[in-house]
Amino acid sequence: MPSFLLLEVLFIFLFSGVRQSHPLQEVHVSRETIGKISAANKMMQCSAAVDVLFLIDGSHSVGKGSFERSKHFAIMVCDALDINPERVRVGALQFSSAPRLEFRLDSFSSQQEVKAKIKRMVFKGGRTDTGLALKYLLRKGFPGGRNASVPQILVVATDGRSQGQVALPAEQLKERGVTIFAVGVRFPRWEELHTLASEPREQHVLTAEQAEDATNGLLSTLSKAAVCTFASPDCKVQPHPCERKTLETVRELVGSAPCWRGSRGTEAVLAALCPFSSWKRVFLTHPATCYRTTCPGACDSQPCQNGGTCVPEGRDRYHCLCPPAFGGEANCAPKLSLECRVDVLFLLASSAGTTPEGFLRAKAFVKRFLQASLSEDSRARVGVAWYSGELALAVPVGEYRDVPALLGSLDGLPFGGGATLTGHALRQAADHGFGSAARTGRDRLRRVLVLLTESPSQDEVAGPARHARARELLLLGVGTEAVRAELEEITGSPKRVLVHAGPQDLFHRIPELRRKLCSRPRPGCQAQSLDLLFVLDASASVGPENFAQMQSFVRSLTLQFDVNPDVTQVGLVVYGSRVQTAFGLDTHLTHAAVLRATSQAPYLGGVGSVGTALLHVYDKVMTVQRGARPGVPKAVVLLTGGMGVEDAAVPIRKLRNNGVSALVVGVGPVLREALRRLAGPRDSLIHVASYADLRYQQDELLEWICAEAKRPVSLCKPSPCLHEGTCVLQNGSYRCECRGGWQGPHCGNRSLRGDGPAGGQQPYPSQHPPRRPGRPGR
């Protein structure tokens, strides 16, 4: 009899080792937020009249370990419940093959008793019949409860693997007003948990494996539904992205293997390829949204500075782990002693537009600044004033007993409300704010007014700001982005404005304010002799509107110099379709005349050439015959849109080699390489993104001009000698060796001796004595 090989296909089950502690639900938030969720659990307490019944799965599919975790979760929830016969009542029922009442809702009247009874619950075992337990509640209601007179909360802790139907009895309970939370244990079947849970299901499905997180989720949902209210109004329920996992067994085709099969009625043995599979247990993920309560912590304001780490110690306390260099001070902030001699008046907006919160922020900022900056030996003196419609001088500058007394006065400042009249307050503060601190003569201190506001002014500020600056006050502004432009107008420069993005960012501005109070601006060059020429791009690539902005910028710069024939001379050249001298260096002798002529400079249009414009400056403007003064520093400021600069490298080098400093200000979103080549050996180039931003570069440009004005100059560059005469330095002065029949101190007079062209003859020396620096004769 033929033998048949009966071979069975072997299925290999590969079970990956999955630890029970693997998180089955992960809330995707930062570690800091996880800490806040955990801390919020300790602050959440429900004291409403509500019945809470725990329905805990005690079947074999759950196992004893997960049953104990369900009990632990129930105990954590009880920690947040004000258990009392008049408020929260708690009961428990265990189910497996059949339900078993562990204790009624009216059995115990204290939290300790309920928690002790839950701890003593014994694992029952058996099959999972969740539907039968739900039907039990439909028949008998909540044992010992108050029926529908108070909210009824059913917390079902199960693995979601019931052997009976759960959808219908769960729906019937919900129709009776019962709120059902489905809490997964072990590796739950999330689909069944969603069937059990009340709407919205995302807020009523939790996992007992992370008991602390699940407790927060349950209480957060009760809070959102107004079933329970919590004491702290600062705590908020917020949605967070989360991920739920379940462990499933999946079949995976590994390959094929030869096998032999027989056929009935024949003696044949057939060979074939049989599929070879394996079975694996894998985690499947389900994206979800989890609602959790977080409460503000002591470290929310990031109080630790200079890289310090904040460690919370409860809700209101913390300590800072500081880097070694800052370990000796609170919040890792070194003492910012004001060592300079300065009088400071803090002017705080207290109007309705600023709001009480903004006023409190300003007071807190000033208070922290004073605490960090003033000491017994500080040479700075401080005053405080506030305003809305009128100025209220709380502490005149320097008129306080000590720093604690000053801080006490600050605490007592009231919120005024009313209109925001910043201009009016500035004028009053300039006239009366410094009291007896205003000194005269050499004893006069630097006086600074620090304006703190978050609300735009309802009156005009430009005039009062000019009035304050005319009284030799340095104005500094502190505020939000909403008032940046106004503060720049008041202070006169973006560099005198401190903009903050919020309360903590405001406190970070304290070191910057201290630097501005104590840093003296570099001595200017307003009193130094200077020949200053502006060259403006008036081509079509710039356009008339942008040309007007350049004119405004030049007028603003001119105001910083003492326009005077003996101090600063200013000239202007424009270029476009042609090159034109709008006015020469010695044309206008006063501020008013220069400003008027600058406004009248023509816009030319057409295609401009920077090289041609600079050659025009070299040949026809920066020369002694056109008003340039020997021995006086000379500076050319070129403002260009960046077009037509390809031919400028050689002309600008000729100017610099001739003793003329040249700065290029390139305007446009991109700095062209051709402009970079004009920077020269001292990197004399400023890039500005737009014409509207020119005003922000005024300080930088002034700094460059003043630095160039202090550089050593040669009396012979540019040469003061006319008609190709040679300039010779001699004993701190110069003399001109004239050629070709010219004579005089600067070779400006035709010789009466009738000498012919110089040719190869020796220079004819002037018989006049050497000239001192000054304006040459024409």
Side-chain angles (χ1 to χ4, degrees), residues 506-527:
L506 175 61
F507 293 139
H508 289 163
R509 296 290 180 265
I510 289 177
E512 185 179 357
L513 176 60
R514 184 254 180 190
R515 287 194 297 271
K516 291 183 184 298
L517 288 174
C518 285
S519 63
R520 288 276 185 179
R522 294 183 180 180
C525 52
Q526 289 86 343

Side-chain angles (χ1 to χ4, degrees), residues 525-526 528-534 558 561-572 583-591 594 621-630 632-636 705 774-776 778:
C525 52
Q526 289 86 343
Q528 289 186 318
S529 296
L530 176 68
D531 287 344
L532 176 62
L533 180 72
F534 294 98
T558 302
F561 297 92
D562 183 5
V563 178
N564 183 301
D566 298 319
V567 185
T568 301
Q569 294 188 147
V570 178
L572 177 64
F583 53 90
L585 290 169
D586 59 352
T587 304
H588 299 297
L589 309 181
T590 64
H591 267 134
V594 170
V621 182
M622 278 294 181
T623 64
V624 291
Q625 59 266 44
R626 298 300 176 96
R629 296 167 292 177
V632 173
K634 295 165 180 61
V636 172
I705 293 174
R775 186 183 301 279
R778 297 279 179 101

Side-chain angles (χ1 to χ4, degrees), residues 70 167 196 418 538 583 684:
S70 296
L196 288 169
F583 53 90
S684 300

Side-chain angles (χ1 to χ4, degrees), residues 9 84 197 374 413 498 518 611 620 670 722:
V9 179
N84 183 289
L374 290 187
L413 294 186
L498 287 73
C518 285
K620 299 181 179 180
V670 179
L722 309 178

Side-chain angles (χ1 to χ4, degrees), residues 332-653:
C332 312
K335 196 76 172 176
L336 302 173
S337 177
L338 281 174
E339 298 176 355
C340 56
R341 297 180 70 229
V342 61
D343 285 345
V344 184
L345 177 65
F346 288 96
L347 180 59
L348 283 64
S350 181
S351 62
T354 299
T355 73
E357 293 78 13
F359 183 59
L360 288 175
R361 276 193 296 272
K363 288 207 302 183
F365 171 78
V366 175
K367 186 173 182 179
R368 185 172 296 188
F369 177 86
L370 298 177
Q371 289 171 326
S373 305
L374 290 187
S375 58
E376 292 181 0
D377 57 350
S378 176
R379 298 194 297 168
R381 302 190 304 175
V382 176
V384 180
W386 59 274
Y387 73 94
S388 53
E390 293 291 332
L391 180 77
L393 191 59
V395 181
V397 173
E399 297 185 15
Y400 49 90
R401 185 176 67 256
D402 50 27
V403 174
L406 177 61
L407 297 177
S409 300
L410 189 63
D411 288 334
L413 294 186
F415 176 70
T420 308
L421 302 182
T422 305
H424 183 60
L426 283 172
R427 189 176 294 274
Q428 288 183 308
D431 292 339
H432 310 294
F434 288 82
S436 61
R439 303 179 184 181
T440 58
R442 300 185 60 176
D443 192 40
R444 185 168 193 151
L445 299 178
R446 187 186 195 195
R447 299 188 301 163
V448 185
L449 190 151
V450 181
L451 171 65
L452 293 96
T453 180
E454 297 181 5
S455 175
S457 179
Q458 295 171 262
D459 63 347
E460 188 261 341
V461 297
R466 285 194 299 270
H467 173 76
R469 290 197 293 269
R471 295 180 66 86
E472 299 182 20
L473 294 181
L474 172 64
L475 303 181
L476 301 177
V478 181
T480 59
E481 186 66 39
V483 293
R484 178 198 287 269
E486 182 174 288
L487 290 177
E488 290 175 357
E489 182 180 16
I490 290 171
T491 62
S493 169
K495 293 187 176 181
R496 299 190 187 113
V497 176
L498 287 73
V499 174
H500 63 88
Q504 192 57 40
D505 188 43
L506 175 61
F507 293 139
H508 289 163
R509 296 290 180 265
I510 289 177
E512 185 179 357
L513 176 60
R514 184 254 180 190
R515 287 194 297 271
K516 291 183 184 298
L517 288 174
C518 285
S519 63
R520 288 276 185 179
R522 294 183 180 180
C525 52
Q526 289 86 343
Q528 289 186 318
S529 296
L530 176 68
D531 287 344
L532 176 62
L533 180 72
F534 294 98
V535 181
L536 303 188
D537 187 346
S539 66
S541 65
V542 171
E545 293 182 358
N546 292 331
F547 180 72
Q549 294 201 62
M550 285 196 287
Q551 289 175 296
S552 176
F553 179 60
V554 170
R555 289 195 301 270
S556 176
L557 277 172
T558 302
L559 290 172
Q560 308 303 315
F561 297 92
D562 183 5
V563 178
N564 183 301
D566 298 319
V567 185
T568 301
Q569 294 188 147
V570 178
L572 177 64
V573 169
V574 294
Y575 72 93
S577 57
R578 64 185 186 279
V579 181
Q580 178 177 335
T581 301
F583 53 90
L585 290 169
D586 59 352
T587 304
H588 299 297
L589 309 181
T590 64
H591 267 134
V594 170
L595 295 177
R596 183 167 54 253
T598 302
S599 299
Q600 295 170 352
Y603 169 71
L604 303 175
V607 178
S609 167
V610 176
T612 303
L614 293 177
L615 287 175
H616 175 87
V617 170
Y618 181 88
D619 293 330
K620 299 181 179 180
V621 182
M622 278 294 181
T623 64
V624 291
Q625 59 266 44
R626 298 300 176 96
R629 296 167 292 177
V632 173
K634 295 165 180 61
V636 172
V637 178
L638 168 68
L639 284 88
T640 174
M643 304 299 292
V645 299
E646 291 75 15
D647 61 349
V650 173
I652 202 169
R653 188 160 56 248

Side-chain angles (χ1 to χ4, degrees), residues 122-351:
V122 178
F123 178 67
K124 187 169 179 282
R127 62 189 180 88
T128 309
D129 200 335
T130 312
L132 186 62
L134 297 177
K135 292 174 184 176
Y136 172 88
L137 296 177
L138 284 171
R139 290 195 313 271
K140 297 184 175 292
F142 275 34
R146 288 163 283 190
N147 299 322
S149 61
V150 298
Q152 294 179 305
I153 310 298
L154 178 64
V155 183
V156 185
T158 178
D159 60 1
R161 301 177 185 274
S162 177
Q163 296 172 354
Q165 294 296 320
V166 299
L168 181 60
E171 191 61 34
Q172 291 174 333
L173 279 171
K174 286 181 273 188
E175 288 175 356
R176 294 187 181 182
V178 177
T179 299
I180 301 179
F181 285 89
V183 183
V185 296
R186 198 176 167 108
F187 302 110
R189 184 179 290 126
W190 295 102
E191 294 83 357
E192 182 170 308
L193 297 184
H194 278 77
T195 301
L196 288 169
S198 295
E199 296 283 356
R201 291 191 170 88
E202 292 284 358
Q203 299 179 35
H204 291 82
V205 175
L206 307 163
T207 173
E209 302 298 331
Q210 285 86 44
E212 204 169 62
D213 176 74
T215 301
N216 186 295
L218 186 146
L219 295 170
S220 297
T221 301
L222 294 180
S223 174
K224 276 182 68 72
V227 175
C228 295
T229 57
F230 303 114
S232 176
D234 297 329
C235 299
K236 297 180 180 178
V237 179
Q238 295 177 313
H240 302 284
C242 63
E243 192 175 74
R244 291 171 179 151
K245 299 180 180 179
T246 185
L247 189 65
E248 300 287 350
T249 303
V250 296
R251 180 175 179 175
E252 185 178 78
L253 179 64
V254 176
S256 301
C259 61
W260 290 264
R261 293 179 176 174
S263 177
R264 290 192 179 188
T266 68
E267 295 184 359
V269 177
L270 303 177
L273 289 176
C274 299
F276 179 74
S277 300
S278 68
W279 293 81
K280 290 184 178 179
R281 302 185 74 182
V282 297
F283 279 113
L284 300 180
T285 60
H286 308 274
T289 301
C290 295
Y291 289 78
R292 299 293 181 265
T293 297
T294 57
C295 298
C299 291
D300 281 7
S301 60
Q302 300 177 341
C304 304
Q305 303 175 33
N306 299 303
T309 301
C310 182
V311 180
E313 297 176 345
R315 183 185 175 191
D316 300 317
R317 298 179 57 197
Y318 67 91
H319 71 271
C320 293
L321 300 177
C322 302
F326 303 97
E329 301 293 340
N331 297 344
C332 312
K335 196 76 172 176
L336 302 173
S337 177
L338 281 174
E339 298 176 355
C340 56
R341 297 180 70 229
V342 61
D343 285 345
V344 184
L345 177 65
F346 288 96
L347 180 59
L348 283 64
S350 181
S351 62

